[in-house]
Amino acid sequence: MNQFGGNWTHQKIKIIEEYAKAYLQIMKSYPYYKLMYFDGFAGSGGIEIGGKMEENSIDGAAKVIVSIKDPKPFDTYYFVELEKKKAEALKISLNQIQTSGIFVVSEDCNKKLVDMSNYLRGYKGRNYKVLAFIDPCGMNVNWASIECLKGLGVDMWILVPTGLGANRLLMKDGNKIPDSWWKKLVDFFGIKKEQILESTYTEVTQQDLFGNVTKELRKNDKGIREIQRIYSERLRTVFKFVSQPYVMRNDHNSTMFHLFLASNNQVAVNIANDIVKKYNQM
Ligand SMILES: C[S@@+](CC[C@H](N)C(=O)[O-])C[C@H]1O[C@@H](n2cnc3c(N)ncnc32)[C@H](O)[C@@H]1O
């Protein structure tokens, strides 16, 4: 069982469920498309909640989505979970709901996103429309894997670790960030170090009593908001439309993640915006 905290985990799954139902309702009018649900960080099927919720265990997104029968089910479900034991547990619990059309693989989501994009561009995949859910715990998604989806019929919900990931690596003094962290940040945003610095830091020159000059790269206020803006702009280079984010905060009101829908369809993003607005106000 996966362990996460808080009401926001529950709300995140409700958002995906609500959107999936609206998506399936619309796609009911396009029976010539095959519908695939792709979950890149699928978990084990259940989630143990460490926060304040009354229930201490809930169904993960995978079980919730496979249980949708009305307005219609997806034709294919593709679940990716890196940890073998979790993938096995997931397969067993999903097969209790349904046995056909379900694929569970124990691999890296980055690889399977590339494999999926190749499949969708090929002869067998051209009739597919995909709803993808990318739900990492940290900065596990490389930008290059997202970029592969350009021009495809994919609606993608992605959880972006703005506060818990990128903001922590972008230290107060930009000069102190180690090279290994810069590599992670560059892989994550898919832009150069200089571009990240330009949007998130200001160079401050200081002179001490004896005239010694030091230059500090000082992180701008509202760093997380900048990270959110950069990631949203990056998504817009791959998808035509990007929703407003659902903001996930911890008990101390610190932002941990932003959840976006990216799509080539304006209607899809309008629906996502309505759902996100409702949950952001709760
Ligand atoms: C936040 S949890 C997912 C929760 C799940 N969406 C749910 O609703 O139950 C992230 C999961 O991704 C798995 N994981 C971590 N890195 C991964 C990777 N590179 N590729 C695929 N799965 C990965 C972890 O083992 C963990 O189970």
Side-chain angles (χ1 to χ4, degrees):
M1 181 132 358
N2 280 322
Q3 291 195 324
F4 307 108
N7 197 30
W8 51 265
T9 299
H10 198 221
Q11 299 215 345
K12 175 181 68 177
I13 294 172
K14 297 293 278 176
I15 289 172
I16 306 304
E17 181 185 19
E18 221 170 284
Y19 181 83
K21 285 183 176 170
Y23 176 91
L24 290 164
Q25 183 64 48
I26 291 171
M27 295 314 285
K28 218 174 162 177
S29 307
Y30 302 92
Y32 38 88
Y33 286 125
K34 282 189 163 189
L35 303 183
M36 183 193 297
Y37 178 75
F38 175 96
D39 187 336
F41 292 82
S44 57
I47 301 176
E48 236 174 64
I49 300 286
K52 288 180 178 167
M53 289 215 7
E54 281 167 21
E55 319 143 83
N56 57 10
S57 150
I58 60 170
D59 283 346
K63 285 176 82 174
V64 169
I65 297 295
V66 171
S67 301
I68 298 175
K69 303 294 173 216
D70 183 30
K72 77 193 281 299
F74 286 87
D75 298 299
T76 304
Y77 302 83
Y78 201 95
F79 295 100
V80 186
E81 167 53 52
L82 191 61
E83 282 186 35
K84 245 194 170 103
K85 275 194 173 164
K86 287 185 186 172
E88 279 161 14
L90 178 66
K91 199 170 187 175
I92 290 167
S93 66
L94 292 179
N95 283 344
Q96 285 165 2
I97 306 170
Q98 180 174 324
T99 48
S100 62
I102 293 183
F103 300 86
V104 181
V105 297
S106 179
E107 285 200 54
D108 186 330
C109 172
N110 289 290
K111 178 179 184 314
K112 296 323 283 182
L113 278 169
V114 177
D115 291 349
M116 177 174 73
S117 73
N118 289 335
Y119 180 81
L120 296 176
R121 288 181 207 285
Y123 179 73
K124 285 185 182 164
R126 63 189 180 151
N127 289 333
Y128 271 98
K129 291 282 179 198
V130 179
L131 174 58
F133 180 34
I134 309 298
D135 184 27
C137 311
M139 295 169 72
N140 323 56
V141 184
N142 295 330
W143 183 255
S145 327
I146 303 292
E147 213 163 28
C148 289
L149 304 176
K150 191 166 179 137
L152 295 172
V154 177
D155 285 11
M156 178 184 73
W157 282 98
I158 182 161
L159 186 74
V160 184
T162 45
L164 274 194
N167 193 47
R168 287 188 177 171
L169 300 195
L170 293 166
M171 298 165 75
K172 273 188 185 160
D173 181 353
N175 287 319
K176 294 194 174 145
I177 302 174
D179 287 349
S180 58
W181 288 16
W182 272 120
K183 183 177 179 334
K184 189 116 196 133
L185 286 159
V186 167
D187 288 348
F188 175 74
F189 287 114
I191 52 176
K192 289 184 181 146
K193 172 181 169 180
E194 293 71 26
Q195 291 170 285
I196 302 170
L197 276 173
E198 202 183 321
S199 328
T200 44
Y201 287 86
T202 307
E203 192 172 74
V204 181
T205 306
Q206 282 174 324
Q207 198 170 10
D208 69 16
L209 202 58
F210 292 93
N212 300 309
V213 175
T214 52
K215 282 187 179 174
E216 191 187 319
L217 278 174
R218 195 174 291 167
K219 192 170 166 186
N220 300 337
D221 291 342
K222 303 192 178 117
I224 296 181
R225 203 177 293 174
E226 271 305 297
I227 293 166
Q228 174 214 315
R229 185 191 60 73
I230 298 172
Y231 207 90
S232 176
E233 274 178 14
R234 296 296 293 140
L235 286 172
R236 247 177 242 124
T237 66
V238 176
F239 296 88
K240 288 186 183 148
F241 308 100
V242 176
S243 74
Q244 292 299 313
Y246 170 62
V247 188
M248 296 186 186
R249 296 190 177 87
N250 65 15
D251 291 346
H252 306 291
N253 211 29
S254 303
T255 302
M256 300 182 295
F257 297 97
H258 285 86
L259 177 70
F260 296 93
L261 176 86
S263 171
N264 292 317
N265 189 314
Q266 177 74 71
V267 175
V269 168
N270 292 347
I271 293 169
N273 279 338
D274 286 345
I275 298 172
V276 159
K277 190 172 174 192
K278 185 173 78 183
Y279 283 90
N280 272 336
Q281 285 168 352
M282 280 182 184

